[in-house]
Amino acid sequence: MSGSSKRQLYEGLLTPFPVALRATKSKGRHIVARPMPSSSTTAADALIPAGTPILRERPCAFVLFKQHADTFCHTCLARFSRRRSPASDGSPAPAPTGGMFTAAAHTDEFDCIVCTGCRKQTYWCSEPCRQAAAAAHALICDALVQLPGIAGMHCVDAGLVRLIMTVLVNSEIETAAAGISDGSDGVDGSAVRTPMRCIDDLLSHYSDAQPRWIEAVTHAAVDIVDVLGKVVSRPLSVDDVVKLACRINSNSHGVYDPAGTVNGEIGVGMFPLVAMLNHSCAPNCAFVTGDGGQMLVHTLRDVAAGDELCVSYVDLFAPTWERRGKLLTTKFFWCECSRCVGGPLSREYELDGLLCLSCGVAPLLPRVDGGHGSRDSQSYYCGSHDGVTIESPSAAHQLSCAQSNTHAPDVTAEQHTAIQHACQRDMDASADLLSIGEFRSGRIALDSALAKCRASLHPSHHLFLSLHISLSNVCSKLSAFAPALAQCSAALAHMRHLTTTLGIPHNLPDVSDLLEKRGQLLQVVSVAVRDGLIDPLDADVMSLGLDLDPDVLDASARDALDECADIRRICYGASHPKTLAVRDM
């Protein structure tokens, strides 16, 4: 395809959205905002308001992770009403569409259709979904039988192998159709599926990949070519498959349960248009999974026409060195965004900062020329000598090193790292207990870890967010709902503090999730107080500092859920299942 034809293709795909494609030597291809068609202002002054959908893309291909393969439809991502289980009498389930496809039984009812031809590796929620995938599945079914062996023999992720196969088969279907996707294919046709050949335009970063990984993928590619070479019409080489694996590794995006019933990724997919959005640790956009696995991208704040639109590829609340390290190893670039570059006034250092070991009132600041936030510092000194102190009630009654005219010795980088590692080990130990169902012991371990962290870590340290969330979750499991509410409130306050301090948009999906959980806990605690299950005068309950007046709890719950809905209308969209769900609570 010529350069002009390719440009016309992308311009056509992006036409429905208020965006434009740009390319520069420094940034490569990237997407910028353009004025809304209905805007009455000039292009220079036009703003795209927060909550504007800027992209809506169906996956060129996606796969579900093994642990979710029999829980969600492999075509539309709908969750099955019941988990699959064998027929009660051990006999095969009825086959509504022929011997290869059977209904997965749950007692006397059927909740999904499973393909036995690929040894039950593919499931659909309905006959229309099965038929929509019939052409592609007919080509890949036999190859899927070999998938576990290929992945296991060559130590390559099974999800990667299946996604490679899926991309190749979908490309074959598209070539056979001799047309460009127009959004009408599939079950609902609610968003455009980008042509498969656009995957070839994505950077592979082949030269940046680990040699051992390339070697393993190359061996796997030999087998993939062998099993798919018979069904793919175009010549298929090992090099083609390896380059495709590299493109998937560098450009794929996680797929989530649109309804939010499962935490974390349930699969991974290829979205070539979304992949053109560059990263920023202070993004102005966010992407979420919508119905049918489509990727939805909305602005998180007002964006001026011509400004670049960016999303985040990593945890926004991780310290600079961790964010940069993950981006370097997974996306192969060194982040130079405003947060990572920092400056004299940057407070990024707080995310992995410590309190002064002598006074415990002021933070330790790194002795570096390039500003705070660097892990290249060889030593750290008490910030009170620069007028930097911690704002907390406990610090109000203590003297800083500067106030007591004390010059504590610098803390070395090794000491700084050792203290943080000790805190992380305590958290890991509690996580191990929780993973084996020891919730009471895990809660005790988490309480102990939180106390140790408060004694040594900066109040803005990123570990506090994980600690509060983990404690809230385990307290909920133990039906200790008042402490769960206190910890959830602390996590929400911490996240809000960080968004304000670090210049991160507050309309984040993560913030909305904590607001939803807090609203639900407020409702539960209100009912428990009214029913006498929680005694507001109990010493342990009083120590939490909660206002347990049921009317106050109910009003606070409504406020939290209303705010959650407001944020989700921005980052998810008004019609998204998660927005609708919280609106009806």
Side-chain angles (χ1 to χ4, degrees):
M1 182 183 289
S2 67
S4 59
S5 298
K6 190 173 293 187
R7 184 168 57 253
Q8 290 175 356
L9 168 63
Y10 283 105
E11 288 176 351
L13 292 170
L14 295 175
T15 294
F17 307 104
V19 300
L21 186 62
R22 297 287 184 265
T24 62
K25 288 185 178 180
S26 59
K27 292 184 177 181
R29 293 190 309 174
H30 57 280
I31 293 178
V32 301
R34 64 177 174 84
M36 301 286 285
S38 60
S39 175
S40 59
T41 57
T42 64
D45 299 327
L47 284 177
I48 296 180
T52 300
I54 63 159
L55 279 179
R56 187 182 184 94
E57 183 180 18
R58 290 180 55 217
C60 285
F62 77 89
V63 298
L64 294 171
F65 296 141
K66 183 177 180 180
Q67 64 269 34
H68 300 297
D70 62 350
T71 309
F72 295 90
C73 177
H74 287 229
T75 296
C76 72
L77 270 187
R79 183 165 187 168
F80 304 136
S81 57
R82 295 179 177 87
R83 291 296 302 272
R84 181 180 60 85
S85 63
S88 57
D89 61 357
S91 61
T97 57
M100 182 178 293
F101 305 106
T102 64
H106 181 87
T107 62
D108 295 325
E109 297 182 80
F110 307 118
D111 63 349
C112 64
I113 301 170
V114 56
C115 176
T116 57
C118 58
R119 296 180 182 174
K120 299 183 179 181
Q121 296 187 69
T122 310
Y123 298 78
W124 300 280
C125 66
S126 64
E127 182 59 19
C129 277
R130 189 198 68 77
Q131 291 179 357
H137 191 71
L139 296 179
I140 202 175
C141 186
D142 289 341
L144 291 180
V145 176
Q146 309 298 324
L147 187 153
I150 294 173
M153 180 179 296
H154 304 299
C155 298
V156 177
D157 182 78
L160 173 61
V161 175
R162 180 157 186 168
L163 190 50
I164 291 171
M165 291 180 172
T166 304
V167 168
L168 293 172
V169 166
N170 286 358
S171 298
E172 177 69 14
I173 296 294
E174 185 175 279
T175 300
I180 298 175
S181 278
D182 60 1
S184 61
D185 57 328
V187 176
D188 55 19
S190 58
V192 171
R193 193 185 81 180
T194 308
M196 298 299 300
R197 62 179 176 274
C198 290
I199 293 178
D200 295 334
D201 296 331
L202 300 174
L203 293 175
S204 71
H205 293 287
Y206 174 85
S207 59
D208 297 315
Q210 292 291 330
R212 292 185 64 181
W213 183 82
I214 291 290
E215 181 182 5
V217 169
T218 300
H219 290 310
V222 174
D223 291 338
I224 293 172
V225 170
D226 183 55
V227 298
L228 284 185
K230 304 167 187 176
V231 298
V232 176
S233 60
R234 70 182 179 91
L236 188 61
S237 69
V238 170
D239 186 62
D240 291 335
V241 175
V242 173
K243 293 290 180 61
L244 174 57
C246 291
R247 289 188 178 93
I248 290 173
N249 197 44
S250 301
N251 298 281
S252 58
H253 285 83
V255 174
Y256 296 80
D257 172 20
T261 60
V262 174
N263 292 325
E265 298 175 356
I266 61 172
V268 64
M270 294 299 291
F271 305 85
L273 296 184
V274 173
M276 292 191 293
L277 289 165
N278 280 337
H279 164 84
S280 173
C281 296
N284 51 22
C285 299
F287 52 79
V288 298
T289 302
D291 288 335
Q294 57 189 298
M295 191 71 76
L296 313 176
V297 187
H298 292 82
T299 52
L300 295 176
R301 54 190 174 204
D302 295 348
V303 180
D307 284 357
E308 183 179 5
L309 298 169
C310 296
V311 295
S312 175
Y313 301 162
V314 295
D315 178 7
L316 291 174
F317 302 106
T320 302
W321 61 269
E322 185 175 325
R323 300 195 309 271
R324 277 181 155 177
K326 186 168 185 178
L327 290 168
L328 187 62
T329 55
T330 61
K331 301 298 183 180
F332 308 107
F333 71 89
W334 184 251
C335 187
E336 295 287 348
C337 74
S338 58
R339 284 184 62 196
C340 288
V341 172
L345 301 179
S346 172
R347 296 176 64 178
E348 287 288 324
Y349 74 93
E350 295 181 5
L351 287 171
D352 64 344
L354 302 182
L355 298 177
C356 174
L357 303 187
S358 296
C359 67
V361 175
L364 289 174
L365 302 183
R367 291 192 185 277
V368 289
D369 295 330
H372 300 320
S374 171
R375 283 178 67 86
D376 297 329
S377 173
Q378 297 302 308
S379 62
Y380 298 78
Y381 67 97
C382 180
S384 65
H385 294 292
D386 287 351
V388 181
T389 56
I390 300 295
E391 295 181 6
S392 69
S394 60
H397 306 291
Q398 301 179 45
L399 293 178
S400 67
C401 288
Q403 290 172 327
S404 62
N405 199 26
T406 301
H407 288 275
D410 279 9
V411 173
T412 66
E414 291 76 12
Q415 291 174 308
H416 194 275
T417 301
I419 293 171
Q420 299 203 64
H421 282 178
C423 293
Q424 185 65 60
R425 282 195 300 271
D426 289 340
M427 289 185 61
D428 293 341
S430 62
D432 290 341
L433 290 170
L434 297 176
S435 68
I436 60 174
E438 293 290 339
F439 298 124
R440 295 188 184 280
S441 298
R443 179 184 175 182
I444 293 172
L446 282 170
D447 282 330
S448 175
L450 180 59
K452 291 180 181 178
C453 288
R454 282 174 172 161
S456 57
L457 303 185
H458 192 288
S460 298
H461 201 286
H462 71 105
L463 288 182
F464 284 115
L465 190 57
S466 299
L467 279 166
H468 290 309
I469 292 175
S470 296
L471 270 167
S472 181
N473 290 338
V474 71
C475 287
S476 294
K477 287 183 178 294
L478 294 171
S479 298
F481 295 115
L485 173 59
Q487 293 296 334
C488 181
S489 299
L492 180 60
H494 192 78
M495 187 175 288
R496 281 174 160 163
H497 165 73
L498 292 180
T499 58
T500 301
T501 300
L502 304 174
I504 303 172
H506 69 279
N507 295 316
L508 293 173
D510 291 347
V511 175
S512 78
D513 290 343
L514 279 178
L515 280 165
E516 179 184 13
K517 182 174 182 180
R518 183 169 186 269
Q520 292 172 330
L521 285 170
L522 283 162
Q523 291 175 334
V524 170
V525 172
S526 174
V527 172
V529 172
R530 281 191 168 93
D531 292 347
L533 300 176
I534 293 178
D535 180 5
L537 299 181
D538 179 85
D540 290 336
V541 173
M542 292 180 67
S543 68
L544 300 174
L546 299 173
D547 187 339
L548 295 182
D549 182 312
D551 292 335
V552 173
L553 292 169
D554 289 339
S556 298
R558 189 67 264 158
D559 290 344
L561 294 175
D562 285 345
E563 185 180 357
C564 174
D566 290 341
I567 291 177
R568 285 186 176 170
R569 276 190 285 269
I570 290 174
C571 61
Y572 284 92
S575 61
H576 193 279
K578 292 191 72 170
T579 306
L580 298 176
V582 75
R583 186 193 64 184
D584 298 332
M585 287 180 180

